[in-house]
Amino acid sequence: MSHPHPDLDTPAPLAPGGVRVTPLGGLGEIGRNMTVVEHEGQLLVIDCGVLFPDDHHPGIDLILPDFSSIEDRLEQVQAIVLTHGHEDHIGAVPYLLRLKPDIPLVGSQLTLALVEAKLKEHRITPFTLGVAEGARERLGVFDCEFVAVNHSIPDALAVCVRTSGGTLLHTGDFKMDQLPLDGRLTDLRAFARLGEEGVDLFLTDSTNAEVPGFTTPEREIAPAIDKVFRHAERRIIVACFSSHVHRVQQVLDAASKAGRKVALIGRSMVRNMGIAAELGYLHVPDGVLVDVKALDDLPDRKVVLVCTGSQGEPMAALSRMANRDHRIEVGEGDTVLLASSLIPGNENAVYRVINGLMRLGATVVHKGNAKVHVSGHASAGELLYCYNIVKPRNVLPVHGEWRHLKANAELAVQTGVHPRGVVVVEDGVAVDLVGGRVRVAGAVECGYVYVDGSSVGEADETLLKDRRILRDEGFISVVVVVDSSSGKLVAGPEIIARGFTPDDIVFDEVRPRIEEALAQATAQGVTDSYQLQQVVRRTLGTWVGRRIRRRPMIIPTVIEA
């Protein structure tokens, strides 16, 4: 059953002995993953990530989950369980801990190291509990067992949450790579054991639910990367996520084989790979890694750069290289390797960067023309496999756009889960598990929370609408001076336009109309400056719409003299 958000009421109090699951992010979108589990008056948070803005969010740095529904209940939060260290699962932790810094963080060694480094920048020292696969911890009324899963970052975990009201199994992001680079398999034996015990609600990663078959093993892309390294004439620039340890490992190995030196570009890339190397998750061949300053003394054919920007982010290193706004100048003979998949919604930004790099003379190798990336998420065949092993009573697809959630739900039904036991919901919709059955209980407030420079939550849709108008339609300022006693026009209208038309002479046609409209208004006894501003705005807006087919932002100013 499907439940879009707007028609639902606020959830009634949870039935005694029941378990409530409320996703506050990650459903209907790729990113911002956060789920709140409630039982016997206590809360458990699973993941707390960010969503990266797209063209629809001008000026916004990050988008956070909406904490408002739990803000007055933070004393009841027993812990934040982090499944792995990607930004869309840990990026919002500092903003939640700003509200209550002593909420314990629970996760694997690498995940906690990455989030602690992030919290250090926010001057927050967290309480942490490190766990490994097979560990079992009591967090208030929640008995949590952690299960190894394979993903595109080491140390990823699924979490089984046992309560007196039922057992939940949350996969986090996962796939079933049978030849993982780090030898760490998704623990299907544990999944089967939990299935035998009885899983009342299975929360499963939906990102690749539309993709048939099985996700390609990571090892299969090594030959494609080696080929790029063999044939590149000059520098190689590799762009990937700053936490993609496996991909950086493959680049380091290929560089060592090709006799090249590697430099990491960007603060987050240097920080994360330093942590991974220190903890033993990244194995750096002797003499391969060098400081970026050492590149000036090396011939181009010996250089590899690893940077961020594989999603076309405007401030990331690769985008700035494409715009010639970076100390590293991309040129003829350089090879750029985009070693990541496209997050839905980022296609235009990525292709813009690819075109910019090719215009500068670079060869761009990406998933569309070479096998240089594989997904970190389970495809339909793997999901079917998991449903058959776990045999859950109920299913809540998580982590994906609406189409991914629906595809995942259909897979669950195909394996024998009763359609009434499969709930497809959006962010903010509360799902109750009572007596082994699921039902939608209602919905809590769950909007986007924008990080805009130093402000958090102050930017709203009205502000973004104004920015989109300024970006797409332009801006016109109109100044008129009127007599304070009679209201008659003394000077103006003075019209200044930006982002609208190259020649302001076009406004000569509308000035007499504004003067006439003001004269009519004052003849009818209108002298209030605000009302006169509205007269100017309506007159100019109507003319611009009909004459030039645009709807710019119009700022009228009436000065009384």
Side-chain angles (χ1 to χ4, degrees), residues 480 482 487 514 517-522 524-539 556-558 560:
V480 295
V482 298
I514 295 172
L518 286 170
Q520 285 180 358
T522 52
Q524 293 168 2
V526 176
T527 56
D528 178 69
S529 61
Y530 175 77
Q531 290 178 299
L532 293 175
Q533 285 174 10
Q534 300 314 305
V535 169
V536 173
R537 179 183 277 115
R538 277 196 304 272
T539 306
T557 305
V558 174
E560 295 182 351

Side-chain angles (χ1 to χ4, degrees), residues 210-232:
E210 286 187 310
V211 181
F214 283 63
T215 301
T216 307
E218 294 271 353
R219 287 182 190 272
E220 289 194 18
I221 68 170
I225 293 175
D226 285 339
K227 183 179 177 183
V228 169
F229 275 68
R230 279 198 311 274
H231 293 288

Side-chain angles (χ1 to χ4, degrees), residues 227-236 260 301 333-335:
K227 183 179 177 183
V228 169
F229 275 68
R230 279 198 311 274
H231 293 288
E233 299 168 11
R234 292 185 63 219
R235 294 175 301 182
I236 299 171
R260 288 177 177 256
R301 69 179 185 281
D334 286 337
T335 300

Side-chain angles (χ1 to χ4, degrees), residues 178-249:
Q178 299 304 297
L179 298 167
L181 294 175
D182 58 2
R184 190 170 175 272
L185 294 157
T186 291
D187 191 349
L188 297 178
R189 290 180 300 175
F191 275 27
R193 174 175 53 79
L194 294 169
E196 288 294 322
E197 182 185 317
V199 171
D200 295 295
L201 184 60
F202 194 27
L203 296 91
T204 47
D205 178 10
S206 306
T207 311
N208 267 5
E210 286 187 310
V211 181
F214 283 63
T215 301
T216 307
E218 294 271 353
R219 287 182 190 272
E220 289 194 18
I221 68 170
I225 293 175
D226 285 339
K227 183 179 177 183
V228 169
F229 275 68
R230 279 198 311 274
H231 293 288
E233 299 168 11
R234 292 185 63 219
R235 294 175 301 182
I236 299 171
I237 300 164
V238 181
C240 65
F241 292 118
S242 64
S243 53
H244 203 331
V245 178
H246 293 327
R247 194 67 70 247
V248 174
Q249 183 69 66

